[in-house]
Amino acid sequence: MTHDHDLVLRPTPAQTEAALNSPPGRNGGDLVVETLAGLGATTVFGLPGQHALGMFDALRRSDLRYVGLRVENNAGFAADAYGRITGEAAPLLLSTGPGALTSLAALQEAAAASAPVLAISSQVPTAGLGGGRHGYLHELPDQAASFRGVVKSVHTVRTQSQIPSAIEAAWKSALSAPHGPVWVEIPQDVLLAETAIPVVTGGDAFPEELPPRPELTAVAADLLSKAARPAIIAGGGVVRADASKKLRQLAETLQAPVVTTPGGKGAFPWSHPLSLQSWMEDRHTTEFLEDADVLLVVGSGLGELSSNYHTFKPRGRVVQIEADLGKLESNHPALGIHADARLALQALLETVSERQDPTAPERVRALLAKVAERIAAQELTLEQEVLASVRKALPADSPSFWDMTILAYWAWSAFDAKGPNHMHSAQGAGGLGYAFPAALGAAVADPTRPVLAVSGDGGALYSIAELATARQYGLNVTWLIVDDGGYGILREYMTDAFGEATATELTRPDYVALAESFGVPGVRTTPENLEQDLAKQLASPGPSVVLLPAVLRMFAPTHLD
């Protein structure tokens, strides 16, 4: 009789041969890159440092593609975007101390947006672990402590034999719903020492699934089927789970209007008769959702941006599907279903009853007309025309990456992403400098499509060094920089709150000349010529910069009314 615990995975003949003929000159770094390759990685991002040289030397002996950026935080943003575009865990190789810590802001964005990033850092030599003050270069009492509040999981390696299992466990953690960044750290001496461990020839790359509890989806299906005014909020979890088609099918079955959050852009067709688009920062939309007798929230925690700054107060029953357990019912009481969006939507599709509601499309049209009327009354023609020019210039299947800048805030509400996983911004953690290095990561992931990055001049200076990266690798990214002479949105906030702005004005370079000094074509444009100039650069291979000097304004907020 055979028991499950008696089953042993036997190596293939090729694996046995590789193990018996392990080439000489390998070190702990080889175990890192071999494990990554065995798990299915093809590309790694990073920046070398003294303690991490064992890993970087091992790249010479592997087939992994290395993309090196100029700042660790930017390398993290590039890995974040690579993970979002491919759905794979993006390896990020870093060095100890300052190199590691410089990546923290990028890892916070990856955590907030559930982007799968596998960060692997060196550590001080093994003798320095444990918090003693030995005076090693880059030494911290507890380097991992700096990351525990940011990433999903932390894995500290102390011996070479732990490397494959630690990286495999981190890989699964990064790719299990909810996706997110993970942290592995390996001491310098472990990476440098010659190893007798056989070549790593494979790995279990399959993350655990997160299905819904059937008794909960049965109740949810009954509520939705009997609802008089159902509505749906679709968040980033729908995009990450590749569940957009299931969302559309459910919405049409229920005749339920759908609004997408900034993170869920493109999860539902923009011009669909049931599409409320993504005007979350709008009182009319807020009231529409509050009036729903059953509100289905899929893949969103209903945080600040997705609740009109916590002014949303639902009056009906809320059903919330969320893969991140910590976000379940964190803002509103609900029938909470802890599950991957795709699996939960499939369960609902199998159990809901079809609803007939000929009034739903008319209610959607009426709401969008109110929104349009509100915006039209504010004399914001320039802003709307600039955003429309960007949309016309950008190919429908091209991804775009947006920094924390006024045009991006407009885009969260008013930009048609043209499809799921096409529009990404730093709205998760809200840090500056995301757009351009993230766009570079997306171009690495898919070089067949041009990629757009959008920054303000303040955010652009965070990542200007990556023009060198774009040129070095010939990445197909066009960078639109809207130059308003400072931190434009902070200028607005401070002027509104205090009557004048402080610390918001910037001396900045000639961005066109600066781009050209890197060997990157640059063009200065105007609002009238933006569409033509941007389309031309997007159609040209390789990197480019389009500079738009313009002072844009935000539409009036409604959460302060």
Side-chain angles (χ1 to χ4, degrees):
M1 182 176 181
T2 301
H3 300 278
D4 286 346
H5 58 262
D6 294 326
L7 296 175
V8 177
L9 292 175
R10 291 178 169 81
T12 65
Q15 290 172 324
T16 301
E17 182 180 356
L20 295 175
N21 295 282
S22 179
R26 294 166 59 251
N27 59 22
D30 287 274
L31 297 175
V32 173
V33 298
E34 289 165 6
T35 303
L36 291 174
L39 289 166
T42 59
T43 303
V44 300
F45 298 87
L47 200 71
Q50 181 175 331
H51 287 174
L53 294 182
M55 282 193 294
F56 285 84
D57 177 63
L59 288 173
R60 286 192 300 114
R61 297 182 287 279
S62 82
D63 293 327
L64 294 176
R65 180 188 183 188
Y66 170 66
V67 179
L69 284 91
R70 301 308 195 265
V71 184
E72 288 87 354
N73 199 49
N74 294 335
F77 286 143
D80 166 306
Y82 186 94
R84 296 192 200 197
I85 293 296
T86 64
E88 302 169 4
L92 171 65
L93 306 186
L94 302 167
S95 193
T96 321
L101 296 178
T102 302
S103 73
L104 270 169
L107 294 177
Q108 184 189 7
E109 176 58 41
S114 296
V117 176
L118 173 54
I120 304 176
S121 166
S122 56
Q123 244 293 20
V124 297
T126 309
L129 298 180
R133 304 297 290 164
H134 300 277
Y136 287 111
L137 181 69
H138 307 326
E139 183 178 89
L140 290 167
D142 186 356
Q143 177 175 276
S146 299
F147 295 86
R148 287 195 182 95
V150 175
V151 299
K152 279 186 68 179
S153 58
V154 171
H155 311 257
T156 297
V157 167
R158 292 179 179 271
T159 67
Q160 290 183 341
S161 62
Q162 296 175 0
I163 290 175
S165 293
I167 292 177
E168 183 175 299
W171 180 280
K172 286 186 179 181
S173 176
L175 288 174
S176 293
H179 292 175
V182 295
W183 184 259
V184 180
E185 56 180 26
I186 308 172
Q188 178 189 26
D189 54 325
V190 175
L191 290 171
L192 289 175
E194 189 170 345
T195 184
I197 296 175
V199 173
V200 183
T201 55
D204 179 1
F206 298 102
E208 297 180 6
E209 290 199 325
L210 186 60
R213 297 181 64 87
E215 68 273 17
L216 296 178
T217 53
V219 173
D222 184 65
L223 288 170
L224 290 164
S225 299
K226 296 176 179 177
R229 297 178 309 282
I232 299 174
I233 296 177
V238 177
V239 175
R240 290 186 292 274
D242 193 20
S244 299
K245 290 181 180 179
K246 295 183 186 299
L247 172 68
R248 177 174 180 171
Q249 187 178 351
L250 182 66
E252 292 173 346
T253 300
L254 296 171
Q255 283 297 290
V258 179
V259 64
T260 59
T261 71
K265 296 285 289 188
F268 195 74
W270 188 259
S271 57
H272 192 284
L274 294 172
S275 175
L276 299 170
Q277 300 178 0
S278 50
W279 286 95
M280 300 297 293
E281 294 185 56
D282 177 84
R283 178 55 47 194
H284 301 303
T285 302
T286 304
E287 291 172 352
F288 187 101
L289 296 172
E290 288 174 339
D291 186 55
D293 59 337
V294 180
L295 179 66
L296 175 62
V297 182
V298 190
S300 171
L302 292 180
E304 190 172 57
L305 294 178
S306 302
S307 61
N308 203 0
Y309 298 91
H310 295 301
T311 60
F312 168 61
K313 307 294 181 186
R315 295 189 294 271
R317 192 77 183 268
V318 177
V319 177
Q320 185 185 16
I321 297 167
E322 176 56 56
D324 188 335
L325 189 60
K327 294 180 180 178
L328 205 60
E329 293 191 78
S330 62
N331 286 306
H332 299 282
L335 174 65
I337 302 176
H338 182 219
D340 174 80
R342 179 178 57 83
L343 299 178
L345 287 172
Q346 180 59 41
L348 290 177
L349 282 169
E350 293 171 358
T351 47
V352 296
S353 300
E354 187 172 356
R355 288 184 68 256
Q356 301 296 327
D357 186 356
T359 70
E362 178 54 39
R363 288 188 289 120
V364 168
R365 286 193 294 270
L367 171 67
L368 294 178
K370 289 181 181 179
V371 174
E373 183 179 354
R374 180 176 74 85
I375 299 299
Q378 298 178 44
E379 298 182 357
L380 295 165
T381 303
L382 171 64
E383 290 75 7
Q384 294 179 82
E385 289 179 349
V386 167
L387 194 64
S389 293
V390 173
R391 181 61 277 173
K392 291 174 185 175
L394 183 66
D397 63 344
S398 282
S400 58
F401 292 82
W402 303 68
D403 223 320
M404 299 297 287
T405 187
I406 288 176
L407 192 60
Y409 301 161
W410 271 92
W412 293 345
S413 295
F415 192 75
D416 178 4
K418 297 293 185 184
N421 212 23
H422 283 183
M423 178 182 167
H424 302 275
S425 71
Q427 57 87 24
L432 281 173
Y434 171 80
F436 187 53
L440 298 181
V444 172
D446 183 0
T448 66
R449 300 178 294 175
V451 183
L452 174 67
V454 180
S455 299
D457 53 298
L461 288 174
Y462 273 68
S463 45
I464 202 75
E466 304 310 335
L467 284 169
T469 302
R471 179 71 277 158
Q472 180 172 344
Y473 296 99
L475 298 175
N476 199 12
V477 175
T478 294
W479 191 7
L480 172 62
I481 300 174
V482 182
D483 185 356
D484 64 4
Y487 300 118
I489 192 65
L490 299 180
R491 182 191 290 141
E492 279 202 19
Y493 289 163
M494 293 190 79
T495 301
D496 290 345
F498 310 117
E500 61 181 299
T502 303
T504 60
E505 306 313 299
L506 298 174
T507 297
R508 66 273 193 206
D510 180 336
Y511 286 100
V512 171
L514 184 58
E516 291 173 345
S517 75
F518 282 92
V520 174
V523 60
R524 185 183 306 270
T525 191
T526 63
E528 295 76 19
N529 295 327
L530 175 61
E531 180 187 343
Q532 178 182 348
D533 289 338
L534 193 58
K536 180 179 179 180
Q537 296 305 317
L538 284 162
S540 303
S544 59
V545 168
V546 176
L547 179 69
L548 174 64
V551 177
L552 306 180
R553 295 187 299 129
M554 272 303 294
F555 51 81
T558 64
H559 65 278
L560 301 177
D561 294 346

